[in-house]
């Protein structure tokens, strides 16, 4: 007689489950960055500043401050 293994899964609703232990982020130090990551983040920051300045210039132009 051949027996088949049956997988049984128990479904527990999240409200009935025990609370999980959360990650303690206060004990983590600063994340080490390589030079390429630092350069990428600085270029992203510069790009966002330039885009904000261009939007400000466009809004001021629509307001009629530049004639």
């Amino acid at each position: 007689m051949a027996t088949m293994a049956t997988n049984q899964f128990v479904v527990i609703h999240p409200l009935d489950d025990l609370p999980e232990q959360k990650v303690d982020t206060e004990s983590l130090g600063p994340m080490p960055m390589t030079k390429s990551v630092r350069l990428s983040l600085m270029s992203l920051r510069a790009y966002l500043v330039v885009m904000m300045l261009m939007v400000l210039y466009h809004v001021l132009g629509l307001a009629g401050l530049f004639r």
Side-chain angles (χ1 to χ4, degrees):
M1 178 182 232
T3 60
M4 294 180 59
T6 59
N7 293 332
Q8 295 181 357
F9 299 101
V10 178
V11 178
I12 299 175
H13 193 275
L15 293 177
D16 297 329
D17 198 9
L18 296 174
E20 295 179 353
Q21 182 179 0
K22 302 300 178 190
V23 176
D24 183 23
T25 57
E26 292 180 4
S27 64
L28 298 176
M31 182 184 296
M33 291 190 288
T34 61
K35 289 182 182 181
S36 62
V37 171
R38 188 176 307 274
L39 180 65
S40 298
L41 290 175
M42 294 299 279
S43 62
L44 176 62
R45 180 181 293 175
Y47 172 78
L48 291 174
V49 168
V50 169
M51 289 297 118
M52 286 188 293
L53 290 174
M54 289 176 66
V55 168
L56 179 65
Y57 178 76
H58 184 66
V59 168
L60 293 177
L62 290 175
L65 293 176
F66 306 117
R67 291 187 181 203

